[in-house]
Amino acid sequence: MFNYTFHWRPAFQALPAMLEGALITIQIAVLSMLIGTVIAIALAVASGSQYRLARFGASVWVETARNTPALFQIYMAYFGLGSIGIFLDSYIALLAGITFNNAGYLAETFRGGLRAIPPIQTRAGRSLGLGAFSTFRLIVLPQLFRIVFYPMTNQIVWAILMTSLGVIVGLNIDLTGVTQELNVRTFRTFEYFAIAAVIYYLITKLVTGSARLAAWKLFKY
Amino acid sequence: MIEVENVQKKFGLLEVLKGVSLTVEKGEVVSIIGGSGSGKSTLLMCINGLESIQGGRVLVDGIDVHAKDTNLNKLRQRIGIVFQQWNAFPHLTVLENTMLAPRKVLGKPKEEAKAVAIAQLEHVGLVDKLDVYPSKLSGGQQQRMAIARALAMSPKYMLFDEVTSALDPQLVSEVLDTMRLLADEGMTMICVTHEMGFARDVSDRVAFFHEGVVEEIGPPSQIFGKRSKSPETKKFLANVR
Ligand SMILES: Nc1ncnc2c1ncn2[C@@H]1O[C@H](COP(=O)(O)OP(=O)(O)OP(=O)(O)O)[C@@H](O)[C@H]1O
Ligand SMILES: [Mg+2]
């Protein structure tokens, strides 16, 4: 019946390897957020553009990212692009898939955020003689950043958890990948994945905690 | 000098300005009064090129605002504007709000921009609020800050768009007093306003807007007195009093 005995010692011996994997996990999540944010700003601006093609392109991206499984998006980056001759290694494919997903979700967040900023703010900036880009950078973006700060924190937590999907495209250096390798070698499934779960938990708590602290330091108004 | 010549402005099918002409001489204070939706705000936006026009032209110091080769960012340095609300940049302190354009538009060094900003904040009586965020200011203080911010660019013209309309009654006078001060100093001003007392006391001329045209323009004594020729002006004034 219940004949699984826990062996924590070998599992804890694997901790350094798992923590190294955790660093890769954080790296992918952070990169996917940074690139995703830049793309999301462009998508949010495009979706309010006067050009139909820009609006259309942005809406295809946002709709696909938000209404299909992240798993599918990562699959497409790996196998889908592979089938048309673009071969990404599993790290890049995972990064691309999550970035695509982040950008889609964040674009919607930013679009809502932009609507919350009174248009007069832009007019006030322009009337002082600032150019359109300077006005956006100096007046709109800082306000937008504050509005979307907490939704962005949620998104980075999502990004961290989504990295675990890398295992389906053969990634074996992130936290889940390392754990899975240990698992198939030793079949200590419960121990390894329990430790991995705790590490994920600690990472996301660390991220949300630092975000709180940053918000408190950053937003004085 | 600001010359508005037969300006036409449409939003889609809606014709907001139907041939507006108005000249404002150096040192003159012109108030614009008129009903809601008559196109007063739109005219101010057309004067500093925030809105395009469909006909006529606007000349500021002889420069055609809507000509293709006009450098609007440069032209706008001569024209300060203060809106009814949402002027203040909430993420910047009073000092930062006021320094922003001298720094980023004129490229002044930090200390110089700061000096200019402080001088203007002193001018409007806000020098004790330098490091305060706008959310901590009263509506009247926010408006005065917006005036100082515009003045920090040393504009030749100031446009005011109902700057007291969103204020609690007890805060109106401090803002109007600041505008009076500017008028006394010889600033050229166009003031869209619902404050008839201000329009009468401070303006050299008052323009009454009605349905997208200047229905009547003249010295306050004409517009507010018995010499007014337009029945529409009389009707409007009878309603606001
Ligand atoms: N961006 C815009 N798009 C479409 N219509 C607009 C726009 N801005 C203003 N309008 C319309 O143009 C007309 C004139 O507006 P404007 O704001 O100039 O009036 P106003 O005289 O300033 O009125 P108020 O006293 O209420 O401020 C109104 O009918 C308004 O709905
Ligand atoms: Mg108006």
Side-chain angles (χ1 to χ4, degrees), chain B residues 40-41 84 161-162:
Chain B
K40 306 178 301 290
S41 300
Q84 184 172 334
D161 190 1
E162 295 188 33

Side-chain angles (χ1 to χ4, degrees), chain A residues 121 123 126-127 138 143 221, chain B residues 45 51 76 86 88 91:
Chain A
Q121 290 277 301
R123 302 200 143 189
R126 297 305 305 272
S127 71
L138 298 168
Q143 295 184 56
Y221 63 97
Chain B
M45 302 286 192
E51 287 286 0
R76 285 182 186 132
W86 311 116
H91 59 297

Side-chain angles (χ1 to χ4, degrees), chain A residues 15-201:
Chain A
L15 203 54
M18 291 175 81
L19 288 177
E20 238 169 81
L23 283 182
I24 300 288
T25 290
I26 294 171
Q27 190 183 66
I28 296 174
V30 168
L31 284 175
S32 74
M33 278 302 285
L34 291 177
I35 308 169
T37 299
V38 173
I39 298 173
I41 292 171
L43 290 174
V45 171
S47 66
S49 150
Q50 53 178 330
Y51 302 107
R52 255 178 67 196
L53 198 66
R55 286 203 307 269
F56 178 74
S59 107
V60 168
W61 187 312
V62 171
E63 289 293 310
T64 313
R66 289 166 51 93
N67 297 296
T68 64
L71 182 74
F72 164 80
Q73 292 162 26
I74 295 160
Y75 248 73
M76 287 312 281
Y78 193 69
F79 298 109
L81 291 180
S83 67
I84 57 166
I86 304 170
F87 296 99
L88 304 181
D89 74 24
S90 45
Y91 179 97
I92 300 292
L94 177 66
L95 179 60
I98 299 178
T99 301
F100 177 83
N101 187 279
N102 281 344
Y105 274 90
L106 290 174
E108 274 300 272
T109 309
F110 290 176
R111 207 159 65 117
L114 285 176
R115 269 205 297 263
I117 300 170
I120 289 277
Q121 290 277 301
T122 298
R123 302 200 143 189
R126 297 305 305 272
S127 71
L128 287 168
L130 289 167
F133 183 73
S134 301
T135 302
F136 187 73
R137 186 172 63 87
L138 298 168
I139 293 162
V140 177
L141 262 192
Q143 295 184 56
L144 178 64
F145 187 56
R146 176 174 183 167
I147 299 169
V148 302
F149 191 80
Y150 284 107
M152 274 183 87
T153 316
N154 288 342
Q155 190 64 35
I156 191 167
V157 169
W158 265 111
I160 291 163
L161 300 180
M162 271 192 289
T163 58
S164 64
L165 295 170
V167 75
I168 60 151
V169 292
L171 188 68
N172 57 8
I173 52 172
D174 72 313
L175 179 52
T176 298
V178 169
T179 311
Q180 173 64 4
E181 296 246 303
L182 292 164
N183 175 40
V184 296
R185 240 186 294 135
T186 63
F187 295 104
R188 309 280 0 140
T189 310
F190 181 85
E191 290 88 333
Y192 287 121
F193 278 99
I195 293 173
V198 170
I199 297 176
Y200 276 113
Y201 182 88

Side-chain angles (χ1 to χ4, degrees), chain B residues 93-104 106-123 126-127 129-131 148-149 151-153:
Chain B
T93 62
V94 168
L95 181 61
E96 288 166 346
N97 260 278
T98 316
M99 280 173 66
L100 182 73
R103 282 275 285 151
K104 301 289 176 180
L106 301 179
K108 290 197 166 146
K110 199 169 172 185
E111 286 311 312
E112 200 179 315
K114 192 171 166 180
V116 169
I118 290 177
Q120 290 306 336
L121 287 167
E122 207 154 12
H123 200 171
L126 279 179
V127 80
K129 301 282 183 197
L130 297 184
D131 297 320
R149 189 175 72 189
L151 292 176
M153 294 297 283

Side-chain angles (χ1 to χ4, degrees), chain B residues 11 14 16 34-42 51 84 161-162 194:
Chain B
F11 288 110
L14 179 70
V16 177
S36 188
S38 57
K40 306 178 301 290
S41 300
T42 304
E51 287 286 0
Q84 184 172 334
D161 190 1
E162 295 188 33
H194 285 163

